[in-house]
């Protein structure tokens, strides 16, 4: 699989008249090599790949030498002792590279300046999404990994939703989700769990905080696991204390959000752009009178990263193709009251969307 991915990348390099590509985005690095370490803090790096038309190097330091040799046996491991930029320069000279691509989406200005200083005589070309274009179509093994990640997340979320949440804080529930995922074998959460209750739920990506959940609160759970490197992402909105505690605003907003999600699920087809797919759900919400309160995209790709291509939003030109996995997550957010978001991961197939999960925790209001 790694050999096939490298071959596809090399074909792209040839098309763009590049002698090589420096791969610095961690998800791309893992995709092309199997090397799993994260970069840690901002500005740090556990390594980079240098892929040319006839070589593939994993450049890393002493901390990861054994890991690199075990996880990336198809690549030549090079241990640098005096910084990544200097080693890239040495290897570029050895390989005879004249035009080297850089990943614009994963290149700090400081790193670029060091490379420019070290790589005198090598033309550096910013590239955008070369490896992402390869990652966007998932093979059967990747789809299986995504399903496993999602199944684990759904199992943990179902347990939380089946319990009592009134009287518990958002942060308490978020921490419980994280602990349970790790106890059940996940590498960790794909992103910090969002548990947003009452008026806090009017913020789409609210941070879970000390607020204690009260009966009648709308509560958004937006959670994801990471398993075997692959992420999951799912959202459910519930009423604390049960549907009988819901006000009429919740019933109206929830029903409209669910109709928008179902409409998108039923109507999205290969060949649409991300903007056309987004418009299917957005029209439902706009016609219901809440268009201005649906302020984010309908969805995004999920894979080795929680947010990746394809983009499914009002300005997305991405062409949707079979084999893509993305979310459908319409939402409505009302300041001072709260919000509703419903999110599922789907696989686009020849005839339309197939849900990857099975958590049918929905109110029958649509």
């Amino acid at each position: 699989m790694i050999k096939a991915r490298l071959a596809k990348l090399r074909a792209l390099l040839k098309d763009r008249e590049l002698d090589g590509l420096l791969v610095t985005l961690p998800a791309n690095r893992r995709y092309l090599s199997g090397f799993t370490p994260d970069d840690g803090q901002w500005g740090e790096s556990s390594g980079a790949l240098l892929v040319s038309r006839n070589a593939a190097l994993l450049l890393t330091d002493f901390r990861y030498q054994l890991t690199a040799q075990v996880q990336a046996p198809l690549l030549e491991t090079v241990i640098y002792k005096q910084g990544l930029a200097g080693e890239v320069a040495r290897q570029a000279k050895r390989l005879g590279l004249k035009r080297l691509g850089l990943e614009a989406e994963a290149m700090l200005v400081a790193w670029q300046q060091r490379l420019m200083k070290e790589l005198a005589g090598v033309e550096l070309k910013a590239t955008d999404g070369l490896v992402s274009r390869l990652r966007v179509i998932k093979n059967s093994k990747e789809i299986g990994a995504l399903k496993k990640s999602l199944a684990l997340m759904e199992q943990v979320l179902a347990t939380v939703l089946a319990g009592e949440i009134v009287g518990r804080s958002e942060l308490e529930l978020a921490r419980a989700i994280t602990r349970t995922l790790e106890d059940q074998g996940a590498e960790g959460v794909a992103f910090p769990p969002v548990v947003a209750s009452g008026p806090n739920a009017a913020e789409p990506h609210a941070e879970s905080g000390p607020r204690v959940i009260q009966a009648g609160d709308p509560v958004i759970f937006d959670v994801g696991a990471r398993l075997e490197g692959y992420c999951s992402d799912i959202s459910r909105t519930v009423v604390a204390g049960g549907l009988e505690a819901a006000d009429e605003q919740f019933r109206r907003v929830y029903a409209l959000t669910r109709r928008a999600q179902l409409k998108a699920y039923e109507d999205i087809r290969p060949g649409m752009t991300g903007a056309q797919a987004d418009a299917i759900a957005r029209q439902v919400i706009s016609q219901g009178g809440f268009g201005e309160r649906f302020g984010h995209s309908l969805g995004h790709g999920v894979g080795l990263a929680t947010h990746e291509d394809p983009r499914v939003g009002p300005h997305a030109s991405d062409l949707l193709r079979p084999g893509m996995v993305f979310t459908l997550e319409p939402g409505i957010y009302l300041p001072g009251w709260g919000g509703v978001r419903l999110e599922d991961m789907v696989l686009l197939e020849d005839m339309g969307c197939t849900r990857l999960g099975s958590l049918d925790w929905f109110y029958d209001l649509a």
Side-chain angles (χ1 to χ4, degrees):
M1 185 161 54
I2 296 297
K3 286 184 178 180
R5 291 171 177 175
L6 289 171
K8 290 179 180 179
L9 176 59
R10 286 177 173 130
L12 293 176
L13 294 178
K14 183 177 180 180
D15 288 344
R16 286 157 179 76
E17 298 182 341
L18 293 171
D19 298 322
L21 178 69
L22 184 65
V23 180
T24 48
L25 188 69
N28 290 346
R29 189 175 60 209
R30 181 169 184 163
Y31 181 80
L32 292 170
S33 70
F35 184 65
T36 66
D38 286 327
D39 281 351
Q41 299 182 62
W42 182 254
E44 293 184 352
S45 174
S46 62
L49 307 185
L50 183 60
V51 181
S52 73
R53 298 187 188 182
N54 52 21
L57 313 181
L58 170 52
L59 312 178
T60 188
D61 62 54
F62 180 79
R63 297 171 298 168
Y64 304 105
Q65 182 172 3
L66 299 180
T67 298
Q69 292 169 349
V70 170
Q71 293 184 342
L74 296 180
L75 280 76
E76 177 186 349
T77 297
V78 177
I79 304 301
Y80 54 80
K81 298 180 179 180
Q82 296 182 353
L84 177 60
E87 192 60 52
V88 172
R90 283 187 286 275
Q91 297 303 326
K93 182 177 180 180
R94 177 172 75 91
L95 297 173
L97 306 184
K98 300 300 182 184
R99 299 184 82 240
L100 178 63
L102 306 178
E103 292 190 305
E105 68 269 39
M107 178 60 60
L108 295 175
V109 173
W111 292 359
Q112 184 179 17
Q113 290 174 339
R114 289 182 204 136
L115 288 168
M116 292 173 65
K117 181 179 179 181
E118 295 283 352
L119 286 160
V122 177
E123 184 181 1
L124 301 180
K125 300 290 290 184
T127 67
D128 184 17
L130 279 184
V131 183
S132 297
R133 290 186 182 92
L134 303 180
R135 286 171 45 204
V136 75
I137 301 296
K138 305 312 193 270
N139 62 30
S140 59
K141 185 174 180 180
E142 290 179 292
I143 292 168
L146 287 164
K147 286 181 176 179
K148 285 177 64 176
S149 177
L150 182 56
L152 176 58
M153 187 65 259
E154 288 186 337
Q155 176 185 334
V156 172
L157 180 57
T159 300
V160 172
L161 296 180
E164 180 61 75
I165 63 173
V166 174
R168 302 179 71 181
S169 75
E170 299 167 348
L171 196 54
E172 176 189 355
L173 290 169
R175 288 172 174 168
I177 289 168
T178 299
R179 286 195 303 268
T180 306
L181 277 174
E182 293 173 347
D183 289 345
Q184 303 218 3
E187 295 172 21
V189 293
F191 52 90
V194 173
V195 181
S197 65
N200 291 348
E203 179 96 316
H205 276 191
E207 293 185 0
S208 305
R211 186 180 187 278
V212 176
I213 297 170
Q214 304 169 28
D217 281 346
V219 186
I220 295 177
F221 289 84
D222 188 349
V223 292
R226 186 184 298 274
L227 185 65
E228 298 177 6
Y230 283 83
C231 299
S232 51
D233 191 2
I234 182 173
S235 297
R236 292 292 183 268
T237 303
V238 300
V239 180
L243 187 57
E244 59 274 14
D247 59 20
E248 286 304 313
Q249 182 81 289
F250 179 87
R251 293 173 181 272
R252 181 186 177 195
V253 169
Y254 187 99
L256 189 59
T257 304
R258 180 65 170 146
R259 286 201 299 273
Q261 187 189 41
L262 289 172
K263 183 66 172 173
Y265 176 78
E266 292 165 359
D267 289 2
I268 290 175
R269 294 290 184 272
M272 289 182 173
T273 64
Q276 289 170 328
D278 176 274
I280 294 171
R282 197 166 299 278
Q283 183 177 26
V284 174
I285 292 176
S286 294
Q287 290 176 345
F290 290 97
E292 294 298 315
R293 304 316 308 167
F294 177 21
H296 56 71
S297 296
L298 175 63
H300 55 83
V302 185
L304 288 170
T306 311
H307 285 200
E308 60 181 46
D309 292 338
R311 307 298 167 178
V312 186
H315 307 294
S317 60
D318 307 51
L319 197 65
L320 302 182
R321 295 179 285 154
M324 291 181 170
V325 172
F326 49 88
T327 63
L328 299 179
E329 49 179 303
I332 298 173
Y333 311 91
L334 305 177
W337 176 79
V340 172
R341 179 164 67 255
L342 301 172
E343 176 183 20
D344 281 305
M345 291 168 56
V346 299
L347 167 67
L348 188 60
E349 299 184 288
D350 290 337
M351 300 304 293
C353 295
T354 299
R355 278 181 65 199
L356 290 185
S358 59
L359 182 61
D360 287 324
W361 202 288
F362 299 107
Y363 297 124
D364 187 15
L365 297 173

